[in-house]
Amino acid sequence: MDQQSSQQGTEHACPQRARLGDFDTVPVQSWEELDARPLPQWYAGAKFGIFVHWGVFSVPAWRTLNDEQFGSYAEWYYASVYGKYRNADSDFHARMFPGRDYRDLAADFRAELFDPGAWAELFRRAGAGYVVLTSKHHDGYCLWPTENEHKEDWNSGAVGPRRDLLGDLAEAVRAQGMRMGLYYSIPEWETHRSHRVDGEHFIPEADAERYGIPEDDYPREILHQQWVELNERYAPAVIYTDGGEWDFSEDYTQTRRMLSWLYTESPNAGEVVVNDRMHVGMPGVHGDVYSTEYQDLDGYGTVHPWEEGRGVGGSFGFNRAESVEDYASAADLLALLAQTVAGGGNLLLNVGPTADGRIPPLQQERLLQIGAWLETNGEAIYQTTPVTDLRPEAPGVFATARGDARYVIVTGRPEAPIRLSLDPGTEVAGWELLGADEQLAGQLLDIRPQAGALELVLRPAARWTGVATEALPLVIRLRTIPA
């Protein structure tokens, strides 16, 4: 795990109004130039990060569960509970918050129990290399005291917590040796219409009319100003953009100008990693990192750096409708981590804090379970690459490489032998079960060399788990002699 972290951006004294001088005059690079930018080395080795969805939507923290893809996202409350977009809770807001608009809920987003140091310590213990916080979701509420004139009463410094949530967490995360990133929604529901709602707003028209600004003014008045402000003030190592790919043209967002300024003029130019959701046609085509969400795509292999994002449950924002059965087990999450890393990606696992600033205990437990596994088996994850000379031929078995070591990660407890095919000339000189001495490993596993392959068999003792014991992945380190 990369324990080095940039210390830029840890100071967050009262900010100055964003100036767009350098942004306006920066030479705009071509896509060929932007796409040729090397991926900052820290990201490729980190493999595991923590996503945090937190905001005004954490006050109601509700959306009826739905098996439809992305159908349980509680962070979409403004659109999908208060508003009419895919709404299965038509009377919920009126019953729970009579006479109050969505914006009125910001007064109850107080974060009075938020302890950034405790959060950061938890994330470090989980084994994360970086943390990404929702600086601004689609509702437009900012988790920092932005100086933008359109956000004077819609940010955490002015209403609700009355503190710099982003700055406080960034400082704590960096103090724990991790890198700090931020999520930033490119559109805002209060301003933008979408083809996804037949050219209307996601939220009630009355709220859009009251709080939105002219769409043509938005890039200059909000998007570009805050892009400069956030990077100059907090110097994030990751920027997770979102929503621009729904409706926005590249000309509207001026994506190439945004990235040209970021990569040449910002204080974090050499460190920052940006994903691919800034305009229509960008996903999977441009960006330092391509994004998948709840495995809506299989990933991109080694073609391009990519990242899978999902919550511990079915929502990013905390959803009070979820129960323990709706949360993924540690075994499931570790299997996803192994699958993602073996497939060339990083895993960004989300937690959704409560409005008062607590990370729900079950979500904490999942992070600590992952961290305990990584303490023993992290060498099979961090700083690894996908394997090219060894191929598992069984479902739920994944392989990674670092130097001459090959790591076979076995999820579940398969009874059938596991065949691993080897490239011609590749030999296995020995093996170890991580976390076990040689005698114990021999009691649990049988490794049988074959022509051009290995056969791995889990003995009965390895397949046993107690009633309350999850079958966490086993990791076998193979010492190989390359062809």
Side-chain angles (χ1 to χ4, degrees), residues 290-410:
Y290 298 162
S291 303
T292 68
E293 183 173 335
Y294 279 87
Q295 295 181 287
D296 57 345
L297 297 171
D298 291 334
Y300 296 90
T302 58
V303 174
H304 192 87
W306 62 279
E307 180 179 70
E308 161 67 9
R310 66 151 293 159
V312 174
S315 176
F316 286 102
F318 178 54
N319 190 350
R320 293 182 293 162
E322 290 188 315
S323 61
V324 64
E325 289 82 7
D326 301 303
Y327 281 73
S329 68
D332 290 338
L333 294 171
L334 286 168
L336 177 61
L337 175 63
Q339 177 184 355
T340 303
V341 173
N346 284 21
L347 177 62
L348 186 62
L349 181 63
N350 181 82
V351 294
T354 58
D356 58 14
R358 294 172 296 120
I359 297 174
L362 196 149
Q363 296 184 27
Q364 293 186 45
E365 181 183 52
R366 292 293 183 269
L367 296 190
L368 293 175
Q369 290 170 319
I370 291 170
W373 185 88
L374 285 168
E375 283 186 8
T376 299
N377 301 289
E379 65 180 90
I381 300 296
Y382 305 123
Q383 307 293 334
T384 62
T385 59
V387 168
T388 58
D389 56 1
L390 178 152
R391 286 165 298 283
E393 297 179 1
V397 180
F398 309 101
T400 60
R402 178 160 51 172
D404 291 338
R406 301 293 179 267
Y407 299 92
V408 180
I409 306 172
V410 180

Side-chain angles (χ1 to χ4, degrees), residues 246-275:
W246 302 338
D247 297 283
F248 294 169
S249 70
E250 180 186 334
D251 289 340
Y252 180 77
T253 58
Q254 296 186 46
T255 302
R256 288 190 296 120
R257 181 176 296 278
M258 292 174 70
L259 294 177
S260 296
W261 176 86
L262 180 69
Y263 295 155
T264 61
E265 300 295 333
S266 72
N268 45 325
E271 177 187 28
V272 68
V273 173
V274 186
N275 72 335

